[in-house]
Amino acid sequence: MKAFSWTRLKAVFLKEFVQMRRDRLTFAMMIGIPVLQLFLFGYAINTDPRRLPTVVEMRETGVFERSFLAGLKNSTFFEIVATTTRAEEGDAMLRGGEAAFLIVIPEGFERRLVRGERPQILLAADASDPVASGGAVNAVQQIAERALARDMAGPLARLAPGAPPFEVVVHRRYNPAGETAYNIVPGLLGVILTMTLVLITSIALAREGERGTLETLLATPVRPVEVMLGKTTPYILVGAVQVLIVVALARWLFDVPFLGSPLLFTIAITLFLFTNLMLGYLISTIARSQMQAMQMTFFIFLPSILLSGFMFPFSAMPGWAQAIGEALPLTHFLRMVREIMLKGAGIGDVWNDLAPLALILAVLSTLALLRYRRTLD
Amino acid sequence: MTSDDLVIDVRGLTKSFGALTAVDHVDLAVPRGAIYGFLGPNGSGKTTTIRLVCGLLRPDAGEGRVLGFDVIRESEEIKVRVGYMTQRFSLYEDLSIRENLAFIARLYDLDDADARVAAALDDLGLSARADQLAGKLSGGWKQRLALAACMIHDPELLLLDEPTAGVDPKARREFWDQIRRFADRGVTTLVSTHYMDEAVQCDSIAYIAYGKKILDAPTAQIPDKVGLHAYRLRGARVAEAQAALERDPGVVFATRFGADLHVVGKDEAAIARLAKAAAERIGATAEPVDAGLEEAFIGLMSGAADNAAPGAPR
Ligand SMILES: Nc1ncnc2c1ncn2[C@@H]1O[C@H](COP(=O)(O)OP(=O)(O)OP(=O)(O)O)[C@@H](O)[C@H]1O
Ligand SMILES: [Mg+2]
């Protein structure tokens, strides 16, 4: 008997495809989820920040301070919710979310400005909304410069051209890497694919078991590898449709850039799709019921969301969490797609994520083949 | 008979599920072209034995050959040549009749898969409804579809697990005619059933209870082997005698056959005496009748409670 037969593989593939198409609810869910998620998260991307709550901390009220404050008030970008002289108060407001920014003008700012010491204005930002915090630096810079130009004409006039005589120092809090909000799109894409594809393949064998059809399948000469490929590859198509939807909507609705090579993007995506399908299929060789399969899927899903760099910046995670993260397909996918989509990275740049992902895929499929039970025991 | 003529030749097959020994040292020797009946009460291990024979379960102990292939090591070779019809409908309810047949045909890597599917549909008389979902078929039609599916690759050995449960008499008749035609061509059949009219159609019968094979003989010899003797009581008040007769230790069972009461026991003289005495009390007639296959199996089964009964003795 042949160890591998295209006819048998095709039979499983076609059967799975027809079943997938007939299962309207699941099918609609797999297409509906990405659209819904993208709308929900997409509109949370604040691409046009206005009137962001700001607290100003200063101990003196000199000419510059008053002029700077007036400039802030006139700007559409900031909305001053409080001014304070106490450092703790400003910190607390930022931490509590009452303010998105804390602007600190240190003591003796004006005096040091006159001496040409390039004093610092501290801008502490709640950088979990990165687009907003990115714009804030420029806004503060401009407002401060204008305040200087208008009011400090006399002795400081000579400082006006060239480099500003002060420095705006930014403290990004809660997102030190300052990742942009566009990151949400690759992140979302990865999460959607992980969620739907792992879930759908995780029940592949348990469903056959519960319906009793596994007995028919096992009584035929079909080979484990044929079952594995036949049961997973139809969902590549579903994954591809999901990717197209997310990328297209992200571009048209939210102007998310696509800088990199579509070919490289396709390669990365395909590898990721297969990895997720294999992960799901591996679960299905272990789970004894559909319920168990779903529980196991969520068991995988949680670390994927928390430790892949989707929720929290990867570099800010403790070592053990990073180690787990490196073993998750989503981690590598996120890095690759962010780099390809948003930074235009080439194959050389993403190689160190492409290779680990391929390794994960190889390990998962080998395990799945070993785990496949050829009897009903 | 040499062992080369044996299509199923297994010895000591044993399979446990936890503490329960579902199949306990069962030997089977089924010659080529035979129709072998497989009988036993619910939960006695028929399905489990059939699964062991076609390699769907791995035996805990035992060995043997099926179609000349080792039952443990060469189960892939066996699968290609065996048609197994499961007790529970196990085709895809969300696929159409045609899609189900085509799926199975392709899994056997048949060159003429489409032609065979068409032929099977024709045989079933389902060509017109081929695109209907299998799940929408009535119970009997599901059985007939499953049967067609397990035969689509012309297997040398058919393992049929209660293939006619829920099938109407005419279709059952056709089914048995078909099995007989296959047998004439050299196809071997092992078929489990609870129907006596099907049991008599088998060349030989293996009877299993609590996982142990109790009886294995050509069908015609079964009543003699069981050694039962029956009396028929006929009269208006036979119902009144039934309870007392059933309690009598000399009676294996007393059961109604239509309006009559059949009293069955192992000792010919004793049962004659008991039957006549009872008949006299209620003003009925008592006549000796042949203890047939049905009496034999009821006798075998009434020896013990239903296997599936909770707390049944082992
Ligand atoms: N997978 C399993 N796990 C645990 N116990 C099992 C399993 N399969 C069968 N059994 C048990 O093994 C015994 C034999 O079951 P089996 O299905 O072989 O009986 P059967 O003779 O086919 O009965 P029926 O006439 O009702 O179909 C039963 O007690 C059953 O509960
Ligand atoms: Mg059974």
Side-chain angles (χ1 to χ4, degrees):
Chain A
M1 205 190 84
K2 279 186 280 180
F4 177 84
S5 140
W6 280 107
T7 318
R8 292 195 298 252
L9 172 58
K10 205 176 94 186
V12 181
F13 176 91
L14 285 177
K15 173 220 134 208
E16 208 64 31
F17 189 82
V18 170
Q19 284 187 307
M20 174 180 87
R21 223 186 43 205
R22 293 222 171 112
D23 188 357
R24 292 270 162 77
L25 188 68
T26 311
F27 196 62
M29 214 174 67
M30 297 188 72
I31 301 302
I33 283 179
V35 177
L36 194 73
Q37 297 252 32
L38 195 74
F39 272 92
L40 287 179
F41 282 86
Y43 280 113
I45 302 177
N46 194 352
T47 48
D48 181 23
R50 273 168 194 284
R51 316 196 72 77
L52 300 171
T54 305
V55 52
V56 181
E57 178 196 323
M58 52 191 183
R59 308 235 159 71
E60 297 164 328
T61 43
V63 184
F64 171 78
E65 279 85 357
R66 264 181 276 123
S67 176
F68 181 66
L69 214 54
L72 284 179
K73 277 179 182 152
N74 284 337
S75 84
T76 54
F77 197 93
F78 298 102
E79 160 111 14
I80 296 177
V81 289
T83 52
T84 177
T85 53
R86 292 186 12 249
E88 314 85 70
E89 200 180 329
D91 272 344
M93 288 182 78
L94 192 62
R95 211 175 322 118
E98 292 155 70
F101 297 104
L102 165 66
I103 297 174
V104 182
I105 300 170
E107 263 181 278
F109 180 87
E110 210 178 304
R111 198 172 57 242
R112 292 166 64 195
L113 199 64
V114 175
R115 282 199 217 128
E117 287 177 5
R118 276 179 72 81
Q120 296 180 333
I121 297 177
L122 175 70
L123 171 69
D126 175 355
S128 48
D129 187 352
V131 163
S133 63
V137 184
N138 285 335
V140 168
Q141 187 105 30
Q142 279 174 17
I143 292 168
E145 275 176 38
R146 245 180 274 131
L148 275 180
R150 215 177 316 124
D151 300 310
M152 310 296 285
L156 292 171
R158 61 191 166 87
L159 294 170
F166 60 90
E167 203 178 344
V168 178
V169 177
V170 184
H171 277 187
R172 292 179 204 279
R173 306 204 179 156
Y174 320 121
N175 179 8
E179 291 166 345
T180 78
Y182 294 137
N183 277 339
I184 195 80
V185 170
L188 210 54
L189 185 60
V191 169
I192 290 167
L193 292 175
T194 303
M195 191 161 77
T196 52
L197 297 183
V198 175
L199 190 65
I200 202 78
T201 40
S202 74
I203 59 169
L205 289 173
R207 191 176 61 177
E208 301 249 2
E210 281 177 18
R211 293 186 182 173
T213 51
L214 191 63
E215 200 172 354
T216 297
L217 200 63
L218 292 180
T220 70
V222 70
R223 292 292 169 132
V225 65
E226 294 155 0
V227 176
M228 180 171 92
L229 294 178
K231 275 188 158 295
T232 50
T233 38
Y235 295 102
I236 286 286
L237 299 176
V238 175
V241 172
Q242 291 180 330
V243 171
L244 285 178
I245 292 176
V246 171
V247 172
L249 284 184
R251 184 158 186 111
W252 287 328
L253 293 178
F254 308 115
D255 294 321
V256 176
F258 193 109
L259 302 176
S261 136
L263 178 67
L264 188 56
F265 181 77
T266 309
I267 293 173
I269 286 268
T270 310
L271 195 58
F272 181 64
L273 291 180
F274 267 113
T275 311
N276 274 328
L277 293 172
M278 276 316 145
L279 181 59
Y281 187 75
L282 176 62
I283 291 177
S284 103
T285 62
I286 299 166
R288 300 208 159 240
S289 67
Q290 297 193 58
M291 198 62 206
Q292 243 184 38
M294 288 187 208
Q295 285 166 347
M296 287 189 207
T297 302
F298 280 103
F299 191 74
I300 299 280
F301 192 50
L302 217 59
S304 288
I305 289 218
L306 295 178
L307 304 181
S308 63
F310 172 70
M311 204 84 137
F312 308 113
F314 198 79
S315 51
M317 296 191 320
W320 61 267
Q322 289 192 4
I324 299 176
E326 291 290 348
L328 297 168
L330 186 58
T331 308
H332 299 286
F333 175 81
L334 288 185
R335 285 193 211 138
M336 279 196 291
V337 171
R338 281 173 181 171
E339 285 178 11
I340 297 170
M341 261 181 93
L342 306 178
K343 297 183 190 162
I347 185 131
D349 303 311
V350 297
W351 184 246
N352 49 358
D353 283 306
L354 213 53
L357 195 57
L359 181 68
I360 295 174
L361 174 62
V363 171
L364 289 175
S365 24
T366 311
L367 284 178
L369 280 178
L370 291 176
R371 282 281 328 176
Y372 182 80
R373 289 188 296 268
R374 298 172 97 166
T375 60
L376 288 169
D377 294 85
Chain B
M1 183 183 303
T2 72
S3 64
D4 289 345
D5 297 328
L6 292 178
V7 166
I8 301 179
D9 181 18
V10 291
R11 287 165 307 275
L13 280 192
T14 301
K15 180 74 187 177
S16 303
F17 299 107
L20 173 92
T21 307
V23 174
D24 196 355
H25 294 92
V26 167
D27 305 339
L28 278 178
V30 179
R32 184 170 301 280
I35 301 178
Y36 226 86
F38 200 18
L39 276 73
N42 290 134
S44 54
K46 300 183 295 294
T47 300
T48 308
T49 306
I50 293 177
R51 284 173 175 167
L52 288 170
V53 167
C54 67
L56 275 178
L57 288 175
R58 200 162 273 275
D60 300 331
E63 48 155 26
R65 295 183 132 356
V66 172
L67 292 161
F69 296 101
D70 188 281
V71 76
I72 296 166
R73 283 191 307 275
E74 296 173 303
S75 61
E76 295 304 313
E77 295 294 338
I78 295 173
K79 283 177 185 177
V80 187
R81 295 165 176 84
V82 166
Y84 169 44
M85 176 177 167
T86 56
Q87 180 171 359
R88 176 183 159 196
F89 183 70
S90 59
L91 291 173
Y92 296 88
E93 305 220 338
D94 51 351
L95 293 187
S96 73
I97 297 167
R98 188 199 311 278
E99 286 161 348
N100 267 302
L101 290 173
F103 175 59
I104 303 292
R106 291 197 191 110
L107 286 190
Y108 285 98
D109 227 340
L110 303 172
D111 296 330
D112 52 346
D114 292 342
R116 290 200 196 214
V117 170
L121 284 170
D122 221 35
D123 279 351
L124 277 169
L126 281 179
S127 301
R129 291 158 71 190
D131 295 317
Q132 188 181 329
L133 292 189
K136 298 257 161 69
L137 286 171
S138 74
W141 277 105
K142 279 185 185 166
Q143 291 294 97
R144 294 166 73 169
L145 171 62
L147 198 64
C150 83
M151 294 180 179
I152 204 152
H153 59 293
D154 277 342
E156 293 170 53
L157 170 64
L158 286 170
L159 299 172
L160 310 175
D161 199 356
E162 298 190 31
T164 58
V167 174
D168 68 49
K170 181 166 166 284
R172 263 167 67 186
R173 177 88 264 143
E174 286 164 9
F175 161 74
W176 277 95
D177 287 347
Q178 196 179 4
I179 297 292
R180 184 53 69 190
R181 281 199 302 277
F182 282 149
D184 293 342
R185 275 185 3 221
V187 175
T188 312
T189 304
L190 177 67
V191 51
S192 80
T193 180
H194 292 295
Y195 297 128
M196 285 308 126
D197 60 328
E198 296 191 350
V200 295
Q201 309 237 17
C202 299
D203 302 324
S204 286
I205 288 174
Y207 180 86
I208 180 173
Y210 294 120
K212 289 199 176 70
K213 196 172 75 173
I214 294 181
L215 191 72
D216 190 343
T219 309
Q221 297 172 17
I222 297 255
D224 279 351
K225 289 231 172 183
V226 179
L228 291 179
H229 304 277
Y231 262 75
R232 182 186 67 201
L233 272 64
R234 181 169 284 178
R237 294 162 56 207
V238 291
E240 292 167 32
Q242 185 173 5
L245 282 170
E246 268 173 350
R247 274 196 302 274
D248 196 292
V251 173
V252 175
F253 68 94
T255 190
R256 300 292 293 269
F257 276 68
D260 301 338
L261 181 70
H262 283 204
V263 192
V264 182
K266 285 204 189 303
D267 182 338
E268 191 166 12
I271 207 74
R273 193 165 19 83
L274 280 167
K276 282 173 182 158
E280 221 160 280
R281 270 200 309 280
I282 56 169
T285 61
E287 303 262 325
V289 288
D290 275 345
L293 208 54
E294 181 143 15
E295 277 91 351
F297 286 116
I298 299 176
L300 283 171
M301 289 186 204
S302 55
D306 193 304
N307 278 15
R314 303 286 326 149

